[in-house]
Structure formats: C-alpha cells, structure tokens
Amino acid sequence: RRLQDRWLLLIGIILSLAAMTWLTVLLPSATSERKTYCYVVLIVGASVDIAGLSFFGVSIASLFSKVTSMKYQGTSQGVRRSVAFIAMIMGPLWAGAFLSRLTIMLGVSVGLITLITILVVLSFSQLKEPEQQVL
C-alpha cells in the first residue's frame, strides 16, 4: 500500500515546519564559544529540512499534474516553475539582508511555512487524485 501524494505533501511540510521552528528557537542562542552546540543545531535542523523538502518537492509536482486539467497543464506547470525560480532568487536576497537579524529571517520562514500548512490542511480533501476512468 502506498501513500497518496497529498499525505507526502503534508509530511514534507510538517518536517520543514519542525526544522525551521527548531532553527528559529535554538540557532539565535548559539555562540562561537559553543561550537559543538552550533554544529549540532545546524546539522539537525538542516537535515530535517532537507528530508521535508524531498517529500514536498516530489509530491507537489506529481500532485499538481494530477489535479490540473490536461488543457491547462502546460501553462500551470510553467507558472508554478516560474514562481519557484523567482523564489530561488528572492530567498537568498531576503536572507542576506536579514543575516544580522537571525530571528526575523527565520521567523518569516516559519510564518510562511505555517501559512502553507494551514492552506494545505484546509484544502486537504480537495487534493485527492481524480478517479481513473476504466475504458
């Protein structure tokens, strides 16, 4: 029995939310005198975030193509990828500007992931794969 894409999406978002919350709470208190603590906090947070992103990235592309009608799939995928590429440019610019204010930088990320989590939970029943027609 395999997990549906919507469950993989939810697992990935929850893992990413947990990782970003972990980093937001523990990373600002890390100091250069406690290097081992800094490394542990960063490695655990980054590892959990990467695990969540692997669930999220694969399932969102698959689910998006399944719930979008064939007529609009090309346009929809193009818009989705364009937004993702813009985010890949804007994210480092935002992070670089707030690197000295770590709590704000990570707090905004937690807020955005929380918003995404709420939206996914609210639309969870709508994210079912359409029934396959038997010919």
Side-chain angles (χ1 to χ4, degrees), residues 3-13 55 59 63 124:
L3 283 174
Q4 294 176 346
D5 291 329
R6 63 186 183 151
W7 284 106
L8 293 175
L9 175 68
L10 190 61
I11 290 168
I13 290 174
F55 280 104
S59 64
L63 187 62
F124 194 74

Side-chain angles (χ1 to χ4, degrees), residues 64-65 67-80:
F64 197 80
S65 67
V67 294
T68 307
S69 70
M70 292 296 282
K71 182 178 180 182
Y72 298 108
Q73 260 195 25
T75 304
S76 299
Q77 291 284 5
V79 169
R80 185 184 70 81

